[in-house]
Amino acid sequence: MSIITIRPKTPTGADVNAERDRRLHMQPFTVAGYNATIVVEGDASDRQNLLALGTIAQGMIEAGSTDLMQYRDGANVVHALTPAQMHELWMKGAALISAVSRASWLLKDDPNGIPADFAEDSYWPA
């Protein structure tokens, strides 16, 4: 009778990418002067929309406009934000994407290989 040894699966870059995407999904944000949490869905379409809104907000700020902008969040709530608030939301979202992406690169580029516990919070930004 032989003994079968089951080894844990070696994590792959795709596993790290899945964890990265999970950490970017449905993130809550707050912005100055607005008393509600805004849930950013974080998928590619939402990121593109937020980038467009952030760019428009920049132009509105430069033009001196304070007209409200609408953002429908991941919880299906419509938020009316000033251009400054929209810009802040965009910047916070971009900063999170950048930090989480950097953490995933460090994991994938580890010369010892991706750690088995790569999904632990200690590897990712808070």
Side-chain angles (χ1 to χ4, degrees):
M1 184 172 254
S2 64
I3 297 175
I4 298 173
T5 304
I6 299 174
R7 295 184 186 153
K9 177 185 174 243
T10 302
T12 66
D15 296 325
V16 173
N17 289 348
E19 180 64 17
R20 175 203 63 210
D21 293 347
R22 185 190 73 76
R23 288 179 178 271
L24 292 174
H25 184 67
M26 301 299 278
Q27 288 295 317
F29 290 94
T30 58
V31 294
Y34 191 72
N35 292 328
T37 299
I38 304 164
V39 180
V40 175
E41 201 164 341
D43 62 13
S45 174
D46 192 50
R47 290 181 213 175
Q48 186 176 15
N49 182 43
L50 196 54
L51 173 60
L53 290 169
T55 303
I56 292 166
Q58 275 186 311
M60 291 174 72
I61 291 167
E62 290 170 9
S65 175
T66 56
D67 292 345
L68 294 179
M69 303 176 70
Q70 290 192 346
Y71 177 74
R72 183 179 298 270
D73 75 3
N76 206 30
V77 175
V78 177
H79 301 274
L81 304 173
T82 66
Q85 290 167 331
M86 184 66 75
H87 186 264
E88 182 181 343
L89 177 63
W90 169 47
M91 294 298 290
K92 285 182 172 183
L96 178 64
I97 290 168
S98 181
V100 170
S101 293
R102 276 193 311 273
S104 74
W105 300 335
L106 288 171
L107 287 164
K108 291 188 281 187
D109 294 343
D110 187 322
N112 298 314
I114 299 168
D117 64 346
F118 71 91
E120 292 294 322
D121 288 342
S122 62
Y123 292 106
W124 301 91

